[in-house]
Amino acid sequence: MTTDNELPRITDDAHLMNYPPPDRWDDWEEYDAQAWPDRVKNRFRLIPTTCFNCESGCGLLAYVDKDSGEIRRFEGNPEHPGSRGRNCAKGPATINQVYDPERILHPMRRVGKRGGGGWEQVTWEEALTDIGGRMGRAIREGRNDEIMYHVGRPGEDGFMDRTLKAWGVDGHNSHTNICSSSARIGYALWSGFDRPSADFANARFILLLSAHLETGHYFNPHAQRIMEAKQAGAQIATVDPRLSNTASMSDHWLSCWPGTEPALLLAIARLLLEWDAVDHDFVRRWVNWESSLIHKYPDRPRNYGSFIDALKDEYAMYTPQWAADECGLEISQIETVAQCIAEAGHAFSSHTWRSVGSGNLNGWQGARTLQFLHVLTGSVGTKGGLSPSGWVKFKPEHWNMPPAHSRWNELLWPKEYPLAHHEMSFLLPHFLKEGRGKLDVYFTRVYNPVWTNPDGFSWIEVLTDEEKIGLHVALTPTWSETAWYADYILPMGVAAERHDTHSYETHAAKWLGFRQPVLRVAAERDGKTIARTHETNPGEVWEETEFWIDLSWKVDPDGSLGIRKWFESPNDPNRPVSVDEYYGWMFENSVPGLPDKAAAEGLTPLGYMRKYGAVEVEKDVYQVNDRPTTEGGVEIEGTMRQGFKTPSKKLEYYSETMDDWGWHDETIPGYQKTHVYWRDMDMAGSERILLPIFRLPTLIHTRSGNAKYLYEISHGHPLWMNATDAEKLGFETTDLVRIETDSGHFVMRVWATEGIRPGVVAASHHLGRWRQHNERGNDRWSSALVNVEQLGDGKWRLRQLGGIEPFTSDDPDSERIWWKDPGVNQNLAFPVHPDPISGMHAWHQRVRLVKPEPGDMYGDVVVDTNKSFDVYKEWLAKTKPGPGPGGLRRPLHFDRPVKPTDSAYRTR
Ligand code: SF4
């Protein structure tokens, strides 16, 4: 760890300077600002919870009015170690979600055909009995894997893993392969950990291949620390073809061709090697250079100097001149960034998430080549550098954990993608169409694949086919395009209405957050006894924790399946375990330091977490690899040290795993062409590269449609097009443009701007919500009424019947809606592009930009799912199917959600 190049910090811990002190949270008085000039006092109970509006898990404080019992607003929780009292706009907007007049308040069951729009209210008991009974039958008949749980935003760590293990079901499905699998495998190949943890606050130089100040992964916790570093003098460089808000706040903006980022990063690596800006002590101790020489450079001498010579030769072609041509940059830009990295040394920090990884075939080399720069400079685990996520992500043990199951579900983990970092979730419709299996009970949970995933019409085709999906249960806090095709819609709580625990790698410290239903906590503090959270939530809105416990009892009512025992109270096996028993055990037994902190305040560990909403577990976590250990480590210069999570316990430059599984050209950090390679495009004609995945800082994928504040801020959805392209193609701002993909087309409006490089166009993935009924199916704050038509075999058209319009409701603001543009659901027109290694959907599209044809209307999306199926087949042909060495379905050291026993990895 270096200290010589640390920058001065603004404050010691950058905490807020003024806020209600926690010892007065139970009875906080303040004057009502809206009553001014009268002096009207309000009395509140301030109850902490956790934001559920992105993956960052920032702390919130709910202001519960002591007179009315209502939540009046949300502010930041100053006691939260990750967010330190700050939130982005989406945190306080939780209040909109609680009081959304359009929200679903009761369980509903389909009436008529699926997707027909008919619903009836049912009781929780009816829903649980029906769903649980059906699952119990499937499990009794050995059809465990016909039960699938498909999650969008988990917002919790470990509860569902435990539940699926207890059921003995290999049915965990995630959204990760349309989100971040690519970056994850790039990082994991180096260290075994699939995410980075940047120590931004202490960095001297920050390189971002994402829009981290505005929308990146761990947005608010990261953004505040990046700004802290910037105010202390750190420099920032952003690599993005688009002038994002982050790029505009950066010292250097590198607008390279999409997918060429690894070439840029390897050119920087070459310069670092040429300048000898390499931490040789670190590389010699912690990189698998001996094995790299043996396998990759067998003719070279077996010494460290020879390894460095091999690197110099390996990357000799990546000259600044070559990279500048390949990436569309200036040589001076590449040299300047390399210089900044060399000078920052151990205080060089970076991040990539989505962007290059999620956009491109071979995009996973983006994270791998970025990590290479940290390895060379020794900025791994240092103050101001980059650590593996696992060092700071804190996963407490869950109560009474069931053993791993030994099943393997090929609908999720097919043989073609043995190295896929997560489940091949977005190929599910194609697998079902091919007859690879079927589903009896399919849960979508805070997930909206019809809208979010590529090729949404193929999702509609399988969701409406009861032979393929027997029962679709949508657990959701809000309406969605997918919930429309459910058999049950089960309303689940937003941030202030549920229990979850979670921890994220926001900075160089470990912490645990606790989300809680604030009205239940308030009622219990008033002395009331609450059995189930839906008793205090709006309507009958529930929470998943209690739902899964009660459902599991319905799956196995008499305990004969061996499932019920995992959900029985430890104090009385004749009733389900309560949330207090469950989380009370966790906080008492598996969070180091918490019992002592609680005792110091005269509280139980659960009482402490209910009071503060979070606890810091370890501060200043650096260089964990160097910590001495007695078991499972690696010997470094005579001492056993903890090391990394790879087979060698070192950072792996050369990956034997890639070689073993047939990817001989991908064994080391390298550069392979993207599917949207700029030199392959007809740029003289109408072809361009579409970037469809940039986030807006104020929206939440598909879940912010119920937040009026957020839609008032963000509601336009133009196609960013460089002004020179607009002129060449004959477009002006606000003109309609037909954007043709390989499976169809959609119609948007042009925004001619200098803020994107020529040859590239972009549209945010947040907008374009739609509903099929005027008063149901989606929030009217955000969605267009549409007509979804099947025009022929596989041919679909979605047409907007109007824009966003004012409506009458209990909230007078709904009459004041002034925004109109719902945007365009572009993802419908994207065929799947599964990267053959990471399994990630490569989101970028080769598109043709043409004038609209007669009859085209704004928002039209027209798709032929037969064509999208053909594209699926083309990409499937790029794979190298398993099994691999020893008959394995997947390398044993490759993690996966709800990891089964080793025996399940084996085909023989
Ligand atoms: S970054 Fe914003 S949306 Fe995400 S958890 Fe924090 S406050 Fe909520």
Side-chain angles (χ1 to χ4, degrees), residues 50-60 83 86-92 94 216 218-221 515 697 699-700:
T50 305
C51 183
F52 193 36
N53 282 338
C54 84
E55 67 286 341
S56 309
C58 299
L60 293 176
S83 55
R86 300 161 173 87
N87 294 114
C88 77
K90 302 185 292 267
T94 300
Y218 308 136
F219 162 34
N220 161 50
R515 188 176 286 122
L699 295 181
I700 317 150

Side-chain angles (χ1 to χ4, degrees), residues 652-666:
E652 296 197 343
Y653 168 75
Y654 169 84
S655 167
E656 212 172 324
T657 306
M658 295 300 271
D659 202 38
D660 286 348
W661 290 75
W663 297 98
H664 310 300
D665 295 334
E666 287 81 7

Side-chain angles (χ1 to χ4, degrees), residues 7 23 73 219 292 360 384 422 424 428 468 537 573 655 669 681 772 794-795 798:
L7 293 165
D23 58 2
R73 68 176 191 274
F219 162 34
S292 300
N360 299 283
H422 272 68
M424 295 307 300
L428 184 61
K468 294 184 170 59
N537 276 348
S655 167
M681 297 269 169
Q772 299 185 59
K795 193 112 197 254
L798 178 142

Side-chain angles (χ1 to χ4, degrees), residues 477-663:
T478 179
W479 278 105
S480 76
E481 288 78 354
T482 301
W484 192 253
Y485 295 99
D487 299 302
Y488 282 99
I489 300 181
L490 304 182
M492 292 293 155
V494 298
E497 299 164 353
R498 47 188 299 119
H499 288 94
D500 299 298
T501 53
H502 40 260
S503 161
Y504 303 109
E505 51 278 15
T506 53
H507 62 297
K510 277 186 190 175
W511 53 267
L512 180 71
F514 187 39
R515 188 176 286 122
Q516 55 183 349
V518 301
L519 294 181
R520 175 175 182 162
V521 174
E524 287 175 343
R525 285 195 191 158
D526 282 336
K528 298 188 181 120
T529 303
I530 308 296
R532 289 288 180 271
T533 296
H534 59 67
E535 295 165 29
T536 52
N537 276 348
E540 293 178 282
V541 169
W542 208 359
E543 61 165 297
E544 280 99 331
T545 303
E546 287 178 347
F547 169 79
W548 295 121
I549 291 170
D550 283 13
L551 181 67
S552 301
W553 272 64
K554 294 289 187 186
V555 173
D556 184 18
D558 57 8
S560 58
L561 284 173
I563 292 173
R564 198 185 97 171
K565 66 180 181 191
W566 302 109
F567 301 92
E568 291 169 355
S569 162
N571 298 310
D572 175 5
N574 293 313
R575 66 167 172 82
V577 60
S578 70
V579 284
D580 278 9
E581 288 168 330
Y582 190 93
Y583 292 110
W585 182 92
M586 176 190 285
F587 299 151
E588 182 81 44
N589 294 285
S590 66
V591 184
L594 175 55
D596 290 342
K597 283 185 182 173
E601 296 203 25
L603 296 168
T604 63
L606 176 63
Y608 183 97
M609 293 301 277
R610 290 223 182 275
K611 177 175 178 185
Y612 291 104
V615 64
E616 187 169 70
V617 178
E618 189 181 347
K619 247 183 166 35
D620 296 332
V621 181
Y622 297 111
Q623 293 183 323
V624 173
N625 55 311
D626 251 333
R627 292 182 184 170
T629 186
T630 49
E631 56 186 66
V634 56
E635 189 179 319
I636 302 287
E637 294 168 343
T639 304
M640 284 299 280
R641 299 192 182 274
Q642 201 159 308
F644 297 90
K645 238 175 60 174
T646 50
S648 65
K649 296 280 190 290
K650 292 192 174 182
L651 293 166
E652 296 197 343
Y653 168 75
Y654 169 84
S655 167
E656 212 172 324
T657 306
M658 295 300 271
D659 202 38
D660 286 348
W661 290 75
W663 297 98

Side-chain angles (χ1 to χ4, degrees), residues 331-342:
I331 296 173
S332 61
Q333 290 178 293
I334 300 171
E335 290 176 338
T336 301
V337 171
Q339 193 64 42
C340 290
I341 292 172

